[in-house]
Amino acid sequence: MSTSEHGRNGSSVTMRDVAKVAGVSVATVSHVVNDKAGVRIGEDARRRVHEAVIELGYRPNALAKTLSQGTSRFIGLVADAIATTPFAGQIIHGAQDEAWKHGYVLLVANTDGNEAAENEAIAMMLEHQVHGILYSTWFHREIQVPEALHQTDTVLVDCFAAGNVLPAVVPDEEQGGRTATEELLAAGHRRIAFINTTTPSPAQTGRLAGYRSALEAAGVDFDESLVFPAAPEQEGGYAATSAILESKATAVFCHNDRVAMGLYDGLREHGLRIPEDVAVMGFDNQDVIAAHLRPTLSTVALPHYELGAAGVRLLLGLEPAPESGPQLIACPPIRRHSI
């Protein structure tokens, strides 16, 4: 995929080769080679690029010519692991559909969290003069922005950077926690337990805030003894079962669907029925879990598809970025049979 041509020695010469010899960034080489207007590049840097081009025999290929002057119809997506994570892979699906809708092609690089692979992927996308880059993580968290992303328009997807240095789209964790709790309140429950993750994250704080907000709005006092910290896995939900039963809760909001799956196992071992004895609400809507538990699990969906689509719209300027903080995407309830 490199924007390259054969040099004098017959080997493939890329913009990265030119950048290395000239001592400048790939973006600078691209701007000089394509004579991009409105870009301020010093005369010394321009001279070194031209000299490196001559020395290496670099000649932009036809693809690079069609991408010059900002005419690329490519959008890059650099991800840590979402392509190999079934439910988070919907981010790619949403971004791809939205890109096609507006005449763009999505270039995807899945780096598995490897920093060298990430830098290589970003460099290749810059060579291809992508319109911009979506940078995504498979779970909602704060990141350190790779320096190379500042060389092009970038939108963060399912992650954010301190200081709001780049536009971002993330799930509305607090709204999701509030919605999950409201579903249980609407089913008539007032003593509602919450199994929260022990992992510090926006999901941990946001979903708890939403749980408390829904209780307050319904006139139900918040009871800290009904919040149970647990590992965000099946084992965590299973381990919390006995303490939840001792609390006399009639309903449980679980941090995620894996926790709910473990709670299902624990409740069954105690001879209890869902939802007749204890109602259960999940979060994430991992279809391979939620739709196949018995009874099927009511949950709140992480809006992965819409995160990808919204990221493309922000990148293309079709929607304005919020002036402060990320754009929040709503987490809708998925009603099944566990409440």
Side-chain angles (χ1 to χ4, degrees):
M1 267 189 358
S2 297
T3 303
S4 63
E5 193 56 75
H6 292 297
R8 292 190 184 121
N9 61 4
S11 63
S12 182
V13 178
T14 71
M15 282 190 183
R16 272 167 293 165
D17 298 325
V18 176
K20 184 175 180 180
V21 170
V24 299
S25 70
V26 171
T28 297
V29 173
S30 174
H31 295 329
V32 172
V33 167
N34 292 310
D35 196 25
K36 192 165 183 178
V39 179
R40 298 176 64 179
I41 298 173
E43 287 303 315
D44 181 61
R46 287 184 182 275
R47 176 185 56 77
R48 284 184 280 124
V49 170
H50 287 307
E51 289 176 354
V53 166
I54 294 170
E55 176 186 340
L56 297 174
Y58 172 78
R59 179 165 54 88
N61 63 17
L63 173 61
K65 291 176 183 177
T66 66
L67 299 180
S68 66
Q69 306 301 324
T71 58
S72 165
R73 305 303 289 180
F74 291 147
I75 290 173
L77 190 152
V78 177
D80 58 358
I82 63 173
T84 53
T85 307
F87 74 111
Q90 284 294 310
I91 289 176
I92 295 175
H93 191 187
Q96 183 172 269
D97 284 354
E98 194 69 23
W100 272 114
K101 187 186 300 184
H102 301 288
Y104 287 83
V105 174
L106 193 69
L107 301 180
V108 179
N110 195 73
T111 66
D112 289 324
N114 182 295
E115 185 177 354
E118 180 175 274
N119 290 334
E120 180 80 2
I122 295 171
M124 291 179 70
M125 289 177 180
L126 291 174
E127 281 188 25
H128 280 72
Q129 297 282 297
V130 291
H131 183 89
I133 293 176
L134 303 178
Y135 182 88
S136 184
T137 55
W138 77 271
F139 70 95
H140 181 190
R141 60 187 175 91
E142 182 177 339
I143 63 158
Q144 293 291 327
V145 178
E147 189 61 34
L149 289 179
H150 293 293
Q151 298 179 33
T152 188
D153 291 338
T154 299
V155 172
L156 307 179
V157 178
D158 207 19
C159 55
F160 63 98
N164 199 36
V165 296
L166 287 175
V169 289
V170 300
D172 191 339
E173 303 283 6
E174 182 170 348
Q175 169 270 316
R178 185 168 57 250
T179 295
T181 309
E182 286 171 347
E183 291 288 304
L184 295 170
L185 289 164
H189 297 281
R190 290 297 179 269
R191 192 160 180 79
I192 301 170
F194 176 34
I195 305 179
N196 200 8
T197 179
T198 53
T199 304
S201 63
Q204 181 195 53
T205 55
R207 294 175 196 180
L208 176 60
Y211 166 76
R212 296 188 64 159
S213 173
L215 293 177
E216 181 181 356
V220 177
D221 291 337
F222 170 70
D223 183 348
E224 193 168 353
S225 71
L226 289 176
V227 178
F228 299 89
E233 304 293 341
Q234 183 175 359
E235 292 78 7
Y238 178 82
T241 306
S242 294
I244 287 172
L245 294 179
E246 289 175 7
S247 76
K248 305 300 182 183
T250 63
V252 186
F253 165 30
C254 298
H255 174 77
N256 63 31
D257 295 346
R258 299 189 305 280
V259 169
M261 180 166 58
L263 180 63
Y264 266 49
D265 292 339
L267 292 174
R268 285 206 181 92
E269 284 191 4
H270 283 82
L272 298 174
R273 300 166 300 163
I274 303 168
E276 291 85 355
D277 298 315
V278 180
V280 180
M281 187 79 184
F283 202 112
D284 287 353
N285 193 35
Q286 293 192 42
D287 191 60
V288 293
I289 296 174
H292 298 285
L293 289 174
R294 292 295 178 267
T296 55
L297 178 65
S298 293
T299 187
V300 169
L302 280 173
H304 288 110
Y305 182 94
E306 183 56 27
L307 286 170
V312 169
R313 291 194 295 271
L314 275 187
L315 192 66
L316 296 179
L318 300 173
E319 293 180 358
E323 293 184 5
S324 62
Q327 178 177 336
L328 301 178
I329 305 298
C331 303
I334 307 297
R335 300 178 179 94
R336 295 192 178 97
H337 300 101
S338 63
I339 65 173

